[in-house]
Structure formats: C-alpha cells, structure tokens
Amino acid sequence: MAALALLATVYAVFLPAAWARTELRGAEPAEATFHAGTCILGRCSVTFPFHGEEVTAGLPLGTRARGHAEGDTVEVRHAPGEPGRVALAEDTGRGTVAALLAVPGGATLVTLSAAAAYVRRDRRTEDPADPANPA
C-alpha cells in the first residue's frame, strides 16, 4: 500500500511538471536574471521585465540549473499574460519532458515488479503439493 501511495505522489509531482514545460514550449521569450537556489526542488527563481515592471517568478519543480549562478542572464519562456508561469527556455525541450515522464514510468515498472515478486513468493509458501512431504 505504501508503494502505491509513493507511486501516486510521483505521478502528482512529475506529470504537472512535464505538462507545464510542454505548455510553455512556444510561449513568450524573455531575458531574465537567474536567482540561485535548489532548482531541482523548485526553489530558484528569475526576474524579468514584463510590461515595464520587474517580475520575479519561481521556476518549476525539476528545473535543471545547468551551471547557472546567481545573477546570470538566462532565456525564459512565460505564458502570455501570466508572467508567474515561467520556465527556462532550455528546459522546455522534448528531452526534458521525456526525462520528467520517464520517472513515473520507471517507478510504475519497479512497483509492478515488486508486486509480482511479492505475489509469487506468497504462492510458493502456500503450495500444499510438496513432493518431499506427502500428507
């Protein structure tokens, strides 16, 4: 049961992250200032001009900083009219989305393999037809 809860959590985190990047693939480009943090956990941000104002927006969970440091200029894509929905332009490619979708896929295979091994083990211990010990 714990494995299913963990699997559900993996899907709840990685599918929206992949979807957000897919939606922003052709969105408005902008030059932004990178603010460091733990990007993989969604704790880094960028500041960029939007309609004459400076907007600071958090980058999505799973962002790979790729060696960017505090203050670097990076290219981002933001949703039209929604500057809070932003991703690094280099993070909106098909490879990134595929990698984000591979995590839940791999987690599903591991969970199914573990469940099959558990069921197979239980069947062996319940097998009454033991030729070494006739009833």
Side-chain angles (χ1 to χ4, degrees):
M1 193 56 96
L4 291 178
L6 181 60
L7 188 61
T9 302
V10 167
Y11 272 89
V13 169
F14 284 91
L15 289 181
W19 182 254
R21 285 166 178 78
T22 301
E23 287 182 323
L24 294 172
R25 191 171 288 148
E28 302 286 327
E31 293 290 318
T33 303
F34 183 79
H35 302 291
T38 311
C39 288
I40 222 63
L41 299 176
R43 293 187 181 153
C44 57
S45 59
V46 291
T47 301
F48 61 97
F50 181 75
H51 295 300
E53 294 183 30
E54 290 291 312
V55 174
T56 299
L59 293 169
L61 183 79
T63 296
R64 295 180 291 172
R66 291 184 183 86
H68 296 302
E70 179 75 30
D72 284 354
T73 300
V74 294
E75 185 178 341
V76 296
R77 297 209 178 263
H78 64 87
E82 294 181 66
R85 288 184 41 218
V86 65
L88 293 177
E90 62 195 33
D91 226 14
T92 60
R94 295 185 193 282
T96 300
V97 173
L100 286 168
L101 293 176
V103 172
T108 300
L109 292 176
V110 168
T111 302
L112 289 174
S113 298
Y118 181 77
V119 168
R120 182 174 277 163
R121 186 187 68 184
D122 277 357
R123 284 189 182 160
R124 269 192 251 140
T125 58
E126 294 175 8
D127 190 10
D130 187 2
N133 191 9

